[in-house]
Amino acid sequence: MSLITVLAIVLAIILGYKTRINIGLFAIAFAYLIGAFLMGLKPSEIIAMWPLKIFFVIFSVCLFYSFAMVNGTLEKLAGHLLYACRGAPWLLPYAVFMTATVIAAMGAGYYTVLAFMAPITLLLCRRTGMDLILGGMAVNYGALGGANFMSSQSGIIFRGLMTNAGINANTAFVNSVAIFAATFLLPLVVITLMLLVTGKHRGLEGEMQIDKPAQLEPKQRQTLWLTLAMMAIVLAAPLAHLALPGNETAAFINSKIDIGLIASVFSVIALMLKLGDERKAIASLPWPTLIMICGMGMLIAVAIKAGTIDQLAAWIGGTIPPVLVPLSFGVVAAIMSLFASTLGVVTPALFPMVPALAAQLGLSPMLMFTAIVVGAQATSISPFSSGGSLILGSAPDAELRHSLFTRLLLRAAPLGFVAAMLTNLALTFLT
């Protein structure tokens, strides 16, 4: 049965990649066929495997953050951040990276940030002489790191997957901080090395031609302050509880904080303040990602029920030396990420193995969770992945698109992969 469930997961990924049909839909079908007809589960038991909490949290948080997208707050904020660095072209890679990080951390999400930041970045590369690969890596990994922030889309998904795997909520929050820190700092190191070692910083000269963006409108300022307020609330409670573990008040407040419910309250406030159109906000939600994550979650739940995850963890623990396990997980995640979504497939498939394997081998669960995400996101800039394809789609002409394809495939993706594996090795020996 374990072999059948593994094959079903692989087949769902292949079919989704080949047909461009959402992988989650194939996963739901396989979960039903295997669960009901091969394992004897009741249909109601299979339906109950739908990860309702993860769905609710992603839906609620993305709904609130969508107001800042539909009324133009985040796009205008991005323009102001880039405009502030117009007089220092050598800071451009960092400006692009930090702008993408901030906008993604404020809830725009990875794909949305790339959609409106990648064209701007490629245009700035032409005007200032910044290397296309440097600009592409800055915007791609900035968007990824920001989305991994604890209160942003990817960070919330990682926390939900960890708690589903049996990790305590507070521990999951700490683990998500480590994931964010690793995926934020690693690209900064890579960008700096690329600038200094290759001397590319010397090619950035003159003043960047960036039009001064318009001031934030009153509704946009309200949206910005409301977004910052929600981020402060959902982060303050767990941080206070970690800083004051014996304080009853901090523990009580933290026990009542749920980011999904808080986001729902803030969505109502946004609607009452008329900060955006309700229908546009709902339409802008990442429905394909939600279906993929929850559909794959059902299939993974069937695999857990069949004992597949425990058997895979036992096999890995008995075959691979413990010191190489985090590196191995990073490599597997990187390969999977070439053809499948990190959020929808890679982490839902690999995260459930971590608690048992970490306990068996005496490894840090935080290290393994971080290694998986670092590895999975390393290859996201490949032209075959969603991030790389979005950057390619932003190229203004066919000649640049062809040149960019080769550079992303043969330079950016290998560089990201090597940097991620070295990071995972370093983290293994440091923890």
Side-chain angles (χ1 to χ4, degrees):
M1 189 56 64
S2 294
L3 179 60
I4 293 175
T5 55
V6 170
L7 289 175
I9 294 171
V10 174
L11 187 57
I13 295 171
I14 294 173
L15 288 173
Y17 181 74
K18 290 290 186 180
T19 65
R20 299 300 178 186
I21 296 172
N22 195 302
I23 293 173
L25 297 175
F26 287 112
I28 293 171
F30 286 137
Y32 170 57
L33 294 174
I34 294 172
F37 298 103
L38 297 181
M39 294 175 57
L41 298 176
K42 297 178 181 178
S44 59
E45 291 179 290
I46 299 171
I47 294 172
M49 291 177 177
W50 178 269
L52 185 60
K53 183 174 181 180
I54 292 178
F55 177 88
F56 174 73
V57 170
I58 299 172
F59 170 81
S60 302
V61 173
C62 290
L63 177 61
F64 170 67
Y65 284 144
S66 66
F67 289 102
M69 282 303 305
V70 298
N71 68 13
T73 300
L74 294 184
E75 189 171 354
K76 194 171 288 186
L77 181 61
H80 279 282
L81 291 173
L82 288 174
Y83 183 75
C85 298
R86 67 193 183 282
W90 63 273
L91 284 176
L92 181 58
Y94 298 104
V96 170
F97 176 81
M98 290 303 301
T99 300
T101 300
V102 170
I103 301 305
M106 294 183 68
Y110 171 59
Y111 299 110
T112 304
V113 171
L114 273 189
F116 73 80
M117 281 289 294
I120 297 173
T121 302
L122 294 182
L123 180 62
L124 290 175
C125 286
R126 279 193 163 183
R127 289 180 176 177
T128 64
M130 182 172 69
D131 184 69
L132 287 170
I133 294 303
L134 188 59
M137 294 184 74
V139 69
N140 181 72
Y141 293 118
L144 282 170
N148 292 343
F149 191 66
M150 295 76 74
S151 62
S152 195
Q153 187 181 118
S154 301
I156 292 166
I157 292 170
F158 296 148
R159 286 164 62 185
L161 292 172
M162 283 186 270
T163 53
N164 273 13
I167 302 296
N168 175 272
N170 285 333
T171 305
F173 178 82
V174 175
N175 292 343
S176 68
V177 173
I179 291 172
F180 168 69
T183 53
F184 173 75
L185 295 175
L186 173 59
L188 281 178
V189 173
V190 173
I191 290 171
T192 301
L193 289 176
M194 286 185 68
L195 283 171
L196 297 180
V197 174
T198 64
K200 292 185 183 298
H201 62 290
R202 289 191 290 271
L204 299 174
E205 53 189 29
E207 183 166 316
M208 292 183 285
Q209 299 299 314
I210 302 177
D211 296 331
K212 184 177 181 180
Q215 293 297 315
L216 292 174
E217 298 171 4
K219 294 290 184 183
Q220 293 172 332
R221 285 197 294 270
Q222 291 177 350
T223 303
L224 180 59
W225 283 113
L226 202 62
T227 302
L228 293 174
M230 197 204 79
M231 292 172 68
I233 291 172
V234 299
L235 293 175
L239 289 174
H241 183 57
L242 290 172
L244 305 168
N247 188 291
E248 293 184 4
T249 302
F252 173 78
I253 294 175
N254 187 52
S255 69
K256 301 299 180 182
I257 293 293
D258 181 272
I259 188 169
L261 294 173
I262 290 175
S264 298
V265 172
F266 273 77
S267 292
V268 173
I269 295 173
L271 287 170
M272 295 294 290
L273 293 174
K274 301 187 184 303
L275 299 183
D277 185 272
E278 179 185 354
R279 287 173 295 181
K280 289 182 179 179
I282 293 175
S284 69
L285 291 177
W287 294 111
T289 302
L290 272 170
I291 293 170
M292 191 186 305
I293 292 169
C294 295
M296 187 56 69
M298 289 181 72
L299 186 53
I300 296 297
V302 170
I304 293 173
K305 191 82 171 178
T308 306
I309 302 300
D310 290 336
Q311 290 178 27
L312 282 174
W315 179 81
I316 293 171
T319 306
I320 302 175
V323 71
L324 294 179
V325 169
L327 178 64
S328 302
F329 267 66
V331 172
V332 171
I335 295 172
M336 290 177 67
S337 184
L338 283 171
F339 309 102
S341 165
T342 297
L343 299 179
V345 177
V346 181
T347 47
L350 298 181
F351 271 26
M353 286 189 268
V354 169
L357 198 56
Q360 177 185 342
L361 300 178
L363 295 170
S364 163
M366 178 192 293
L367 166 64
M368 295 186 64
F369 286 129
T370 303
I372 290 170
V373 176
V374 168
Q377 296 186 343
T379 54
S380 64
I381 200 168
S382 159
F384 300 115
S385 295
S386 52
S389 61
L390 277 171
I391 295 173
L392 275 181
S394 302
D397 55 65
E399 182 181 351
L400 179 60
R401 194 174 300 115
H402 176 73
S403 172
L404 198 54
F405 179 91
T406 305
R407 294 186 190 186
L408 291 176
L409 181 62
L410 300 180
R411 290 175 56 192
L415 179 60
F417 177 78
V418 171
M421 296 311 109
L422 290 175
T423 299
N424 284 345
L425 269 179
L427 290 174
T428 300
F429 290 103
L430 289 174
T431 54

